[in-house]
Amino acid sequence: MDALTLDVRLDGFSEPVGILARDDNGGIAYAYRPDYVANPEAVALSLSLPLTDEPYGDVAARPFFDNLLQERDGALADIMAREGLARDDIAGLLFHLGKDCAGALSVLPAGAPPVKLPGDYGSDYVRIGMERMVDIVDALHRHRRLPDGTADPSPLAGVQSKIALTYLPDGSFAEPRPGSGAPTTHILKVADQGHLHDARDEAEALSLSRALGFDTTDATVMPFGEMEALLITRFDRALTGDGRIVRIHQEDFAQALGLPAALKYERRGTPGRCFDTPAIRRVLEATADPAGEKDIFIKATLFDLMIGNTDGHAKNFALLHDRGGRIRMAPRYDLLPTRLDANLTEELAFRIGAADRLAAITADDFAAFLQALGIESAAARKRIRAGHTVDIAASLARQLNGLDKRNMKRFADLIASNIGTLTAAFGLAAPAAVEQRDAFLDRAGGWLMS
Protein backbone atom coordinates (compact mmCIF):
# COMPACT_ATOMS: atom_id res chain seq x y z
CA MET A 1 0.00 0.00 0.00
CA ASP A 2 1.36 3.39 -0.98
CA ALA A 3 1.62 6.34 1.36
CA LEU A 4 -1.08 9.00 0.93
CA THR A 5 -1.47 12.57 2.16
CA LEU A 6 -4.79 14.41 2.28
CA ASP A 7 -5.79 17.97 3.18
CA VAL A 8 -8.47 18.37 5.84
CA ARG A 9 -10.54 21.51 5.30
CA LEU A 10 -13.16 23.20 7.45
CA ASP A 11 -15.75 25.45 5.82
CA GLY A 12 -15.05 29.07 6.77
CA PHE A 13 -11.26 28.78 6.81
CA SER A 14 -9.39 29.63 3.62
CA GLU A 15 -6.53 27.16 4.16
CA PRO A 16 -6.51 23.49 5.21
CA VAL A 17 -6.74 23.03 8.97
CA GLY A 18 -4.72 19.82 9.04
CA ILE A 19 -3.20 16.85 7.24
CA LEU A 20 -4.44 13.25 7.20
CA ALA A 21 -1.73 10.78 6.20
CA ARG A 22 -1.68 7.05 5.46
CA ASP A 23 1.57 5.12 5.79
CA ASP A 24 2.76 2.12 3.77
CA ASN A 25 1.10 -0.27 6.22
CA GLY A 26 -2.33 1.38 6.06
CA GLY A 27 -2.06 3.17 9.40
CA ILE A 28 -3.31 6.75 9.54
CA ALA A 29 -2.21 9.84 11.42
CA TYR A 30 -3.63 13.34 11.70
CA ALA A 31 -1.92 16.63 12.51
CA TYR A 32 -3.24 20.18 12.73
CA ARG A 33 -1.34 22.78 10.73
CA PRO A 34 0.70 25.04 13.06
CA ASP A 35 -0.78 28.22 11.56
CA TYR A 36 -4.27 26.89 12.26
CA VAL A 37 -3.47 26.03 15.89
CA ALA A 38 -2.21 29.61 16.33
CA ASN A 39 -5.44 31.09 14.94
CA PRO A 40 -7.57 32.48 17.84
CA GLU A 41 -10.73 31.42 15.96
CA ALA A 42 -9.52 27.85 15.46
CA VAL A 43 -12.00 25.05 16.15
CA ALA A 44 -10.95 21.56 17.18
CA LEU A 45 -12.25 18.91 14.82
CA SER A 46 -13.37 16.89 17.82
CA LEU A 47 -13.23 16.58 21.58
CA SER A 48 -11.24 13.45 20.81
CA LEU A 49 -8.74 15.52 18.76
CA PRO A 50 -8.00 18.69 20.78
CA LEU A 51 -5.94 21.44 19.19
CA THR A 52 -2.25 20.63 19.60
CA ASP A 53 1.03 20.82 17.71
CA GLU A 54 1.54 17.08 18.20
CA PRO A 55 0.26 14.57 15.62
CA TYR A 56 -2.39 11.98 16.45
CA GLY A 57 -1.69 8.35 15.65
CA ASP A 58 -3.97 5.69 14.25
CA VAL A 59 -5.76 4.84 17.52
CA ALA A 60 -6.93 8.42 18.05
CA ALA A 61 -7.45 9.47 14.43
CA ARG A 62 -9.18 6.41 12.97
CA PRO A 63 -12.53 6.56 14.85
CA PHE A 64 -13.13 10.22 14.01
CA PHE A 65 -12.33 9.97 10.32
CA ASP A 66 -14.13 6.63 9.99
CA ASN A 67 -17.26 8.39 11.30
CA LEU A 68 -17.07 10.80 8.36
CA LEU A 69 -17.93 7.93 6.02
CA GLN A 70 -21.48 6.76 5.48
CA GLU A 71 -22.70 4.48 8.22
CA ARG A 72 -24.35 2.13 5.72
CA ASP A 73 -21.58 -0.01 4.29
CA GLY A 74 -23.70 -0.68 1.22
CA ALA A 75 -23.31 2.96 0.21
CA LEU A 76 -19.53 2.43 -0.02
CA ALA A 77 -19.72 -0.73 -2.09
CA ASP A 78 -19.38 0.93 -5.50
CA ILE A 79 -16.23 2.89 -4.68
CA MET A 80 -14.67 -0.08 -2.87
CA ALA A 81 -15.28 -2.36 -5.85
CA ARG A 82 -14.19 0.19 -8.45
CA GLU A 83 -10.98 1.20 -6.68
CA GLY A 84 -10.17 -2.12 -5.01
CA LEU A 85 -10.26 -0.58 -1.52
CA ALA A 86 -10.85 -2.35 1.78
CA ARG A 87 -13.40 -0.98 4.25
CA ASP A 88 -10.65 -0.23 6.76
CA ASP A 89 -8.70 1.91 4.28
CA ILE A 90 -10.13 5.11 5.71
CA ALA A 91 -7.73 7.46 3.94
CA GLY A 92 -8.17 5.67 0.61
CA LEU A 93 -11.95 5.92 0.85
CA LEU A 94 -11.79 9.58 1.87
CA PHE A 95 -9.52 10.31 -1.10
CA HIS A 96 -12.53 9.51 -3.29
CA LEU A 97 -15.43 10.42 -0.98
CA GLY A 98 -14.03 13.09 1.33
CA LYS A 99 -15.38 16.03 -0.63
CA ASP A 100 -18.89 14.87 0.30
CA CYS A 101 -18.43 14.36 4.04
CA ALA A 102 -21.55 15.37 5.93
CA GLY A 103 -21.08 18.67 7.75
CA ALA A 104 -18.51 21.44 7.46
CA LEU A 105 -15.50 19.15 6.96
CA SER A 106 -14.01 17.92 3.71
CA VAL A 107 -11.02 15.66 3.12
CA LEU A 108 -9.31 16.29 -0.21
CA PRO A 109 -6.25 15.31 -2.21
CA ALA A 110 -3.27 17.42 -1.13
CA GLY A 111 -3.34 20.82 -2.79
CA ALA A 112 -6.94 20.60 -4.00
CA PRO A 113 -9.02 23.79 -3.75
CA PRO A 114 -11.90 24.02 -1.25
CA VAL A 115 -15.15 22.37 -2.29
CA LYS A 116 -17.39 23.69 0.50
CA LEU A 117 -18.32 27.36 0.40
CA PRO A 118 -21.15 29.56 1.72
CA GLY A 119 -24.29 29.54 -0.43
CA ASP A 120 -26.51 32.21 -1.92
CA TYR A 121 -30.20 31.37 -2.41
CA GLY A 122 -30.39 33.43 -5.58
CA SER A 123 -27.41 32.06 -7.50
CA ASP A 124 -26.10 28.80 -6.03
CA TYR A 125 -29.09 26.47 -6.32
CA VAL A 126 -31.01 24.71 -9.07
CA ARG A 127 -34.71 24.10 -8.49
CA ILE A 128 -36.09 20.56 -8.48
CA GLY A 129 -39.58 20.23 -9.94
CA MET A 130 -42.26 18.46 -7.93
CA GLU A 131 -42.54 15.62 -10.45
CA ARG A 132 -38.85 14.90 -9.98
CA MET A 133 -39.20 15.18 -6.21
CA VAL A 134 -41.92 12.52 -6.33
CA ASP A 135 -39.56 10.26 -8.29
CA ILE A 136 -36.76 10.86 -5.77
CA VAL A 137 -39.02 10.07 -2.81
CA ASP A 138 -40.31 6.92 -4.53
CA ALA A 139 -36.75 5.74 -5.21
CA LEU A 140 -35.75 6.31 -1.58
CA HIS A 141 -38.90 4.59 -0.36
CA ARG A 142 -38.19 1.52 -2.48
CA HIS A 143 -34.42 1.57 -1.90
CA ARG A 144 -33.79 2.00 -5.61
CA ARG A 145 -31.20 4.08 -7.42
CA LEU A 146 -32.01 7.78 -7.50
CA PRO A 147 -33.23 9.22 -10.82
CA ASP A 148 -30.49 9.96 -13.34
CA GLY A 149 -28.78 13.25 -12.65
CA THR A 150 -29.69 13.23 -8.96
CA ALA A 151 -26.85 12.97 -6.48
CA ASP A 152 -27.01 13.35 -2.73
CA PRO A 153 -24.51 16.16 -2.13
CA SER A 154 -24.12 15.34 1.56
CA PRO A 155 -24.13 11.61 2.37
CA LEU A 156 -25.84 11.04 5.68
CA ALA A 157 -25.42 8.48 8.43
CA GLY A 158 -28.16 6.17 9.60
CA VAL A 159 -30.19 3.30 8.28
CA GLN A 160 -33.24 5.20 7.05
CA SER A 161 -33.39 6.44 3.47
CA LYS A 162 -32.72 10.17 3.30
CA ILE A 163 -31.31 12.84 1.07
CA ALA A 164 -29.82 16.28 1.76
CA LEU A 165 -31.29 19.14 -0.26
CA THR A 166 -32.22 22.80 0.00
CA TYR A 167 -35.64 24.24 0.74
CA LEU A 168 -35.84 27.69 -0.82
CA PRO A 169 -37.64 30.62 0.83
CA ASP A 170 -40.41 30.40 -1.79
CA GLY A 171 -41.24 26.83 -0.73
CA SER A 172 -39.61 25.02 -3.63
CA PHE A 173 -36.89 22.38 -3.46
CA ALA A 174 -33.42 22.77 -4.93
CA GLU A 175 -29.97 21.25 -5.04
CA PRO A 176 -26.62 23.05 -4.96
CA ARG A 177 -25.48 24.16 -8.39
CA PRO A 178 -22.61 21.87 -9.49
CA GLY A 179 -19.29 23.39 -8.50
CA SER A 180 -20.84 26.00 -6.21
CA GLY A 181 -19.82 24.30 -2.96
CA ALA A 182 -23.05 25.61 -1.43
CA PRO A 183 -24.56 23.86 1.59
CA THR A 184 -27.84 22.02 1.70
CA THR A 185 -30.33 23.31 4.27
CA HIS A 186 -32.65 20.36 4.93
CA ILE A 187 -32.79 16.58 5.14
CA LEU A 188 -35.65 14.67 3.57
CA LYS A 189 -36.24 11.37 5.35
CA VAL A 190 -38.32 8.70 3.62
CA ALA A 191 -39.66 5.60 5.34
CA ASP A 192 -39.45 2.21 3.67
CA GLN A 193 -42.43 -0.01 2.87
CA GLY A 194 -42.42 -1.59 6.32
CA HIS A 195 -42.48 1.70 8.25
CA LEU A 196 -44.99 3.91 6.47
CA HIS A 197 -45.99 5.74 9.68
CA ASP A 198 -42.45 6.72 10.70
CA ALA A 199 -42.65 10.24 9.24
CA ARG A 200 -45.68 11.15 11.32
CA ASP A 201 -44.35 9.36 14.40
CA GLU A 202 -41.06 11.26 14.27
CA ALA A 203 -42.75 14.56 13.48
CA GLU A 204 -44.98 14.15 16.53
CA ALA A 205 -42.01 13.21 18.74
CA LEU A 206 -40.10 16.30 17.61
CA SER A 207 -43.20 18.45 18.11
CA LEU A 208 -43.59 17.12 21.65
CA SER A 209 -39.93 17.89 22.31
CA ARG A 210 -40.43 21.50 21.22
CA ALA A 211 -43.66 21.79 23.22
CA LEU A 212 -41.80 20.75 26.37
CA GLY A 213 -39.17 23.45 25.85
CA PHE A 214 -36.27 21.47 24.40
CA ASP A 215 -34.22 23.11 21.69
CA THR A 216 -35.37 20.93 18.80
CA THR A 217 -34.86 20.94 15.07
CA ASP A 218 -37.89 21.83 12.97
CA ALA A 219 -39.59 19.09 10.96
CA THR A 220 -42.66 18.92 8.72
CA VAL A 221 -44.49 16.00 7.14
CA MET A 222 -44.88 16.68 3.41
CA PRO A 223 -46.82 14.76 0.73
CA PHE A 224 -45.09 13.55 -2.43
CA GLY A 225 -47.63 11.80 -4.62
CA GLU A 226 -48.99 8.93 -2.56
CA MET A 227 -46.04 9.04 -0.14
CA GLU A 228 -45.26 11.20 2.88
CA ALA A 229 -41.76 12.21 3.89
CA LEU A 230 -40.29 14.15 6.77
CA LEU A 231 -38.56 17.42 5.90
CA ILE A 232 -36.05 18.30 8.64
CA THR A 233 -34.25 21.61 9.01
CA ARG A 234 -30.51 21.09 9.44
CA PHE A 235 -29.27 22.31 12.80
CA ASP A 236 -25.71 22.75 11.50
CA ARG A 237 -26.58 25.61 9.17
CA ALA A 238 -26.85 29.35 9.78
CA LEU A 239 -27.74 32.47 7.82
CA THR A 240 -25.26 35.34 7.89
CA GLY A 241 -26.23 39.00 8.06
CA ASP A 242 -25.71 39.34 4.33
CA GLY A 243 -28.00 36.39 3.59
CA ARG A 244 -25.43 33.67 2.91
CA ILE A 245 -25.95 30.10 4.12
CA VAL A 246 -22.98 28.75 6.08
CA ARG A 247 -22.13 25.45 7.74
CA ILE A 248 -21.50 25.12 11.48
CA HIS A 249 -18.99 22.47 12.50
CA GLN A 250 -20.65 19.67 14.44
CA GLU A 251 -19.80 16.19 15.62
CA ASP A 252 -21.85 13.45 17.18
CA PHE A 253 -21.06 11.91 20.55
CA ALA A 254 -19.41 8.88 18.95
CA GLN A 255 -16.84 11.15 17.29
CA ALA A 256 -16.44 13.23 20.45
CA LEU A 257 -15.67 10.07 22.43
CA GLY A 258 -13.35 8.57 19.83
CA LEU A 259 -15.74 5.67 19.23
CA PRO A 260 -16.41 4.07 15.84
CA ALA A 261 -20.03 4.01 14.68
CA ALA A 262 -20.18 0.30 15.52
CA LEU A 263 -19.95 1.19 19.24
CA LYS A 264 -22.78 3.73 19.27
CA TYR A 265 -24.76 1.55 21.72
CA GLU A 266 -23.45 0.81 25.21
CA ARG A 267 -24.18 -2.90 24.75
CA ARG A 268 -21.69 -3.11 21.87
CA GLY A 269 -18.77 -1.64 23.77
CA THR A 270 -16.56 -2.69 26.63
CA PRO A 271 -15.93 -0.93 29.97
CA GLY A 272 -13.96 2.23 29.34
CA ARG A 273 -14.71 2.12 25.61
CA CYS A 274 -18.44 2.46 25.18
CA PHE A 275 -21.31 4.93 25.11
CA ASP A 276 -22.25 4.88 28.78
CA THR A 277 -23.14 7.51 31.38
CA PRO A 278 -19.54 8.26 32.47
CA ALA A 279 -18.67 8.83 28.80
CA ILE A 280 -21.68 11.12 28.38
CA ARG A 281 -20.53 13.06 31.44
CA ARG A 282 -17.10 13.64 29.86
CA VAL A 283 -18.72 15.13 26.78
CA LEU A 284 -21.12 17.36 28.69
CA GLU A 285 -18.37 18.66 30.97
CA ALA A 286 -16.45 19.86 27.90
CA THR A 287 -19.28 22.21 26.90
CA ALA A 288 -19.44 25.91 27.75
CA ASP A 289 -22.21 25.25 30.31
CA PRO A 290 -21.66 21.82 31.88
CA ALA A 291 -24.28 22.18 34.63
CA GLY A 292 -26.93 23.46 32.25
CA GLU A 293 -26.21 20.82 29.61
CA LYS A 294 -26.31 18.04 32.19
CA ASP A 295 -29.70 19.22 33.37
CA ILE A 296 -31.00 19.28 29.80
CA PHE A 297 -29.61 15.79 29.17
CA ILE A 298 -31.32 14.44 32.30
CA LYS A 299 -34.64 15.92 31.21
CA ALA A 300 -34.12 14.62 27.66
CA THR A 301 -33.49 11.13 29.05
CA LEU A 302 -36.74 11.18 31.00
CA PHE A 303 -38.56 12.52 27.95
CA ASP A 304 -37.17 9.72 25.77
CA LEU A 305 -38.18 7.09 28.31
CA MET A 306 -41.71 8.45 28.45
CA ILE A 307 -42.26 8.74 24.68
CA GLY A 308 -40.79 5.30 24.04
CA ASN A 309 -37.59 6.35 22.27
CA THR A 310 -35.05 3.65 23.11
CA ASP A 311 -32.69 4.64 20.29
CA GLY A 312 -30.87 7.59 21.86
CA HIS A 313 -27.46 6.26 20.80
CA ALA A 314 -24.16 8.10 20.45
CA LYS A 315 -24.88 9.28 16.91
CA ASN A 316 -28.25 10.75 17.87
CA PHE A 317 -26.66 13.37 20.15
CA ALA A 318 -24.33 16.02 18.79
CA LEU A 319 -22.17 19.02 19.67
CA LEU A 320 -21.81 22.31 17.82
CA HIS A 321 -18.33 23.88 17.71
CA ASP A 322 -18.41 27.68 17.49
CA ARG A 323 -15.52 29.86 16.40
CA GLY A 324 -12.95 30.27 19.17
CA GLY A 325 -13.59 26.84 20.68
CA ARG A 326 -16.97 27.30 22.42
CA ILE A 327 -18.85 23.99 22.47
CA ARG A 328 -22.57 23.53 23.00
CA MET A 329 -25.14 20.78 22.65
CA ALA A 330 -26.93 20.61 19.33
CA PRO A 331 -30.72 20.78 19.22
CA ARG A 332 -32.56 17.51 19.62
CA TYR A 333 -33.02 15.53 16.41
CA ASP A 334 -33.75 12.00 15.21
CA LEU A 335 -36.45 11.32 17.80
CA LEU A 336 -38.56 8.30 17.01
CA PRO A 337 -40.87 6.44 19.42
CA THR A 338 -39.27 3.12 18.60
CA ARG A 339 -41.49 1.23 21.06
CA LEU A 340 -44.37 1.70 18.62
CA ASP A 341 -42.63 -0.95 16.51
CA ALA A 342 -42.90 -4.35 18.15
CA ASN A 343 -40.08 -5.60 15.94
CA LEU A 344 -37.54 -3.24 17.54
CA THR A 345 -35.74 -3.90 20.78
CA GLU A 346 -36.84 -2.51 24.12
CA GLU A 347 -33.20 -2.35 25.17
CA LEU A 348 -31.99 1.18 25.91
CA ALA A 349 -29.10 2.70 23.98
CA PHE A 350 -27.33 3.32 27.30
CA ARG A 351 -28.13 1.91 30.72
CA ILE A 352 -29.86 3.84 33.46
CA GLY A 353 -27.92 2.61 36.46
CA ALA A 354 -27.99 -1.16 36.02
CA ALA A 355 -31.23 -1.13 34.02
CA ASP A 356 -31.18 -1.84 30.29
CA ARG A 357 -34.89 -1.24 29.65
CA LEU A 358 -37.68 0.96 31.00
CA ALA A 359 -39.45 -1.80 32.89
CA ALA A 360 -36.29 -2.56 34.90
CA ILE A 361 -35.54 1.00 36.07
CA THR A 362 -35.79 1.64 39.80
CA ALA A 363 -35.33 4.78 41.87
CA ASP A 364 -31.88 3.48 42.82
CA ASP A 365 -30.99 3.01 39.13
CA PHE A 366 -31.91 6.59 38.34
CA ALA A 367 -29.94 7.81 41.35
CA ALA A 368 -26.92 5.86 40.05
CA PHE A 369 -27.42 7.44 36.62
CA LEU A 370 -27.44 10.92 38.16
CA GLN A 371 -24.39 10.17 40.27
CA ALA A 372 -22.52 8.91 37.21
CA LEU A 373 -23.32 12.25 35.55
CA GLY A 374 -21.68 14.04 38.48
CA ILE A 375 -24.64 14.84 40.77
CA GLU A 376 -22.88 14.05 44.03
CA SER A 377 -25.50 15.15 46.57
CA ALA A 378 -28.04 12.47 47.48
CA ALA A 379 -30.57 15.18 48.30
CA ALA A 380 -30.03 16.81 44.91
CA ARG A 381 -30.42 13.47 43.14
CA LYS A 382 -33.73 12.84 44.91
CA ARG A 383 -34.96 16.36 44.16
CA ILE A 384 -34.01 16.11 40.47
CA ARG A 385 -35.55 12.66 40.06
CA ALA A 386 -38.88 13.68 41.60
CA GLY A 387 -39.07 17.21 40.23
CA HIS A 388 -38.10 16.51 36.64
CA THR A 389 -40.16 13.32 36.44
CA VAL A 390 -43.31 15.02 37.73
CA ASP A 391 -42.85 18.08 35.49
CA ILE A 392 -42.20 16.13 32.29
CA ALA A 393 -44.95 13.61 33.00
CA ALA A 394 -47.45 16.41 33.60
CA SER A 395 -46.37 18.28 30.48
CA LEU A 396 -46.68 15.17 28.31
CA ALA A 397 -50.03 14.29 29.88
CA ARG A 398 -51.35 17.65 28.69
CA GLN A 399 -50.44 16.66 25.12
CA LEU A 400 -52.36 13.38 25.06
CA ASN A 401 -55.72 14.76 23.91
CA GLY A 402 -54.02 16.59 21.06
CA LEU A 403 -52.40 13.35 19.93
CA ASP A 404 -55.81 11.68 19.99
CA LYS A 405 -57.27 14.40 17.77
CA ARG A 406 -54.42 13.94 15.27
CA ASN A 407 -55.14 10.20 15.01
CA MET A 408 -52.11 9.35 17.17
CA LYS A 409 -54.01 7.56 19.94
CA ARG A 410 -51.66 4.60 19.95
CA PHE A 411 -48.70 6.92 20.54
CA ALA A 412 -50.65 8.66 23.33
CA ASP A 413 -51.41 5.29 24.94
CA LEU A 414 -47.72 4.36 24.78
CA ILE A 415 -46.72 7.62 26.46
CA ALA A 416 -49.32 7.12 29.19
CA SER A 417 -48.16 3.56 29.77
CA ASN A 418 -44.51 4.64 30.02
CA ILE A 419 -45.34 7.49 32.38
CA GLY A 420 -47.26 5.08 34.57
CA THR A 421 -44.36 2.62 34.62
CA LEU A 422 -41.77 5.27 35.48
CA THR A 423 -43.76 7.15 38.11
CA ALA A 424 -44.68 3.89 39.83
CA ALA A 425 -41.01 2.85 39.89
CA PHE A 426 -40.11 6.19 41.48
CA GLY A 427 -42.94 6.13 44.02
CA LEU A 428 -44.64 9.14 42.42
CA ALA A 429 -48.26 9.77 41.49
CA ALA A 430 -49.09 9.61 37.79
CA PRO A 431 -51.13 12.46 36.27
CA ALA A 432 -54.87 11.82 36.21
CA ALA A 433 -54.93 11.93 32.42
CA VAL A 434 -52.55 8.96 32.39
CA GLU A 435 -54.67 6.86 34.69
CA GLN A 436 -57.67 7.29 32.40
CA ARG A 437 -55.97 5.98 29.25
CA ASP A 438 -56.42 2.63 27.54
CA ALA A 439 -53.57 0.16 27.94
CA PHE A 440 -50.97 0.23 25.18
CA LEU A 441 -51.01 -2.72 22.79
CA ASP A 442 -48.03 -3.70 20.69
CA ARG A 443 -48.51 -4.31 16.96
CA ALA A 444 -48.91 -8.01 17.52
CA GLY A 445 -51.98 -7.23 19.57
CA GLY A 446 -50.43 -8.15 22.89
CA TRP A 447 -50.15 -6.10 26.06
CA LEU A 448 -47.08 -3.96 26.53
CA MET A 449 -45.05 -5.80 29.14
CA SER A 450 -43.83 -3.73 32.07
Side-chain angles (χ1 to χ4, degrees):
M1 184 178 293
D2 296 331
L4 177 64
T5 301
L6 302 171
D7 285 340
V8 178
R9 285 185 172 271
L10 187 60
D11 191 14
F13 293 90
S14 59
E15 298 296 328
V17 302
I19 302 296
L20 178 67
R22 181 188 69 194
D23 63 26
D24 294 340
N25 297 316
I28 65 172
Y30 173 73
Y32 289 104
R33 286 173 47 132
D35 56 337
Y36 180 71
V37 175
N39 187 336
E41 293 195 334
V43 175
L45 297 191
S46 171
L47 287 183
S48 63
L49 300 171
L51 290 171
T52 176
D53 291 324
E54 298 298 318
Y56 289 97
D58 191 277
V59 172
R62 181 172 293 273
F64 178 81
F65 287 98
D66 184 43
N67 270 294
L68 296 181
L69 294 167
Q70 293 193 10
E71 192 175 351
R72 291 167 291 171
D73 283 350
L76 302 174
D78 287 348
I79 196 70
M80 291 167 61
R82 190 183 77 206
E83 303 296 335
L85 298 172
R87 179 59 182 84
D88 63 355
D89 185 1
I90 306 303
L93 291 169
L94 287 171
F95 178 85
H96 296 280
L97 300 172
K99 67 182 179 64
D100 290 327
C101 294
L105 279 174
S106 51
V107 183
L108 306 170
V115 295
K116 293 189 175 182
L117 300 168
D120 179 88
Y121 279 125
S123 60
D124 289 331
Y125 298 94
V126 180
R127 279 179 169 78
I128 306 172
M130 185 50 66
E131 183 177 349
R132 188 172 186 79
M133 284 300 305
V134 171
D135 290 341
I136 289 171
V137 168
D138 184 69
L140 291 170
H141 170 62
R142 300 178 187 278
H143 294 283
R144 293 176 178 170
R145 189 177 295 276
L146 291 172
D148 289 345
T150 303
D152 186 347
S154 182
L156 302 162
V159 296
Q160 291 177 293
S161 292
K162 60 190 80 167
I163 188 170
L165 40 69
T166 295
Y167 194 58
L168 298 176
D170 66 3
S172 58
F173 291 95
E175 55 191 345
R177 191 178 297 280
S180 69
T184 56
T185 62
H186 288 69
I187 295 166
L188 191 67
K189 189 180 292 187
V190 182
D192 62 28
Q193 298 178 64
H195 302 87
L196 295 178
H197 214 258
D198 277 5
R200 291 198 172 274
D201 290 344
E202 185 168 358
E204 289 288 355
L206 290 166
S207 178
L208 289 174
S209 178
R210 284 191 296 276
L212 267 65
F214 294 102
D215 186 13
T216 308
T217 190
D218 291 325
T220 305
V221 176
M222 300 191 72
F224 294 90
E226 297 180 357
M227 277 294 301
E228 288 184 334
L230 188 65
L231 184 67
I232 304 169
T233 303
R234 297 192 69 140
F235 62 79
D236 57 345
R237 301 294 188 257
L239 201 62
T240 64
D242 59 358
R244 295 190 307 164
I245 308 151
V246 295
R247 300 170 176 88
I248 303 171
H249 179 45
Q250 58 88 18
E251 65 169 334
D252 60 47
F253 276 29
Q255 292 170 300
L257 291 165
L259 297 174
L263 299 186
K264 64 184 180 180
Y265 296 101
E266 179 174 355
R267 57 184 174 269
R268 294 182 181 171
T270 55
R273 185 169 166 74
C274 65
F275 179 61
D276 59 5
T277 309
I280 294 166
R281 175 182 178 178
R282 294 198 301 274
V283 175
L284 298 178
E285 288 184 345
T287 63
D289 180 16
E293 300 288 23
K294 285 181 184 180
D295 194 57
I296 292 171
F297 191 89
I298 293 164
K299 292 177 180 177
T301 299
L302 287 165
F303 174 83
D304 284 355
L305 291 169
M306 292 183 197
I307 71 163
N309 173 29
T310 64
D311 204 38
H313 56 68
K315 297 189 76 66
N316 280 343
F317 291 96
L319 299 174
L320 294 172
H321 291 256
D322 295 325
R323 289 289 186 103
R326 183 179 182 273
I327 300 171
R328 55 193 168 96
M329 281 273 287
R332 299 230 60 196
Y333 63 96
D334 217 338
L335 294 179
L336 188 66
T338 51
R339 288 300 302 119
L340 288 176
D341 188 340
N343 295 315
L344 299 179
T345 181
E346 294 183 28
E347 192 169 355
L348 303 173
F350 58 90
R351 292 186 182 89
I352 305 298
D356 64 355
R357 60 199 68 220
L358 171 65
I361 297 174
T362 65
D364 287 343
D365 284 316
F366 203 77
F369 164 69
L370 295 177
Q371 188 168 17
L373 279 178
I375 312 300
E376 299 297 341
S377 164
R381 293 195 294 270
K382 184 176 181 179
R383 183 176 65 253
I384 290 169
R385 173 176 55 79
H388 286 355
T389 303
V390 168
D391 288 347
I392 294 172
S395 296
L396 282 173
R398 289 192 289 270
Q399 304 294 323
L400 298 180
N401 284 339
L403 288 169
D404 288 340
K405 292 175 182 177
R406 294 191 295 278
N407 296 316
M408 300 294 290
K409 180 180 181 299
R410 192 164 174 275
F411 188 16
D413 289 344
L414 172 64
I415 293 171
S417 176
N418 291 341
I419 290 174
T421 297
L422 203 58
T423 52
F426 292 171
L428 303 169
V434 166
E435 300 288 354
Q436 299 164 4
R437 301 289 309 187
D438 293 334
F440 173 74
L441 299 176
D442 66 25
R443 285 188 178 174
W447 298 98
L448 174 68
M449 301 304 294
S450 61

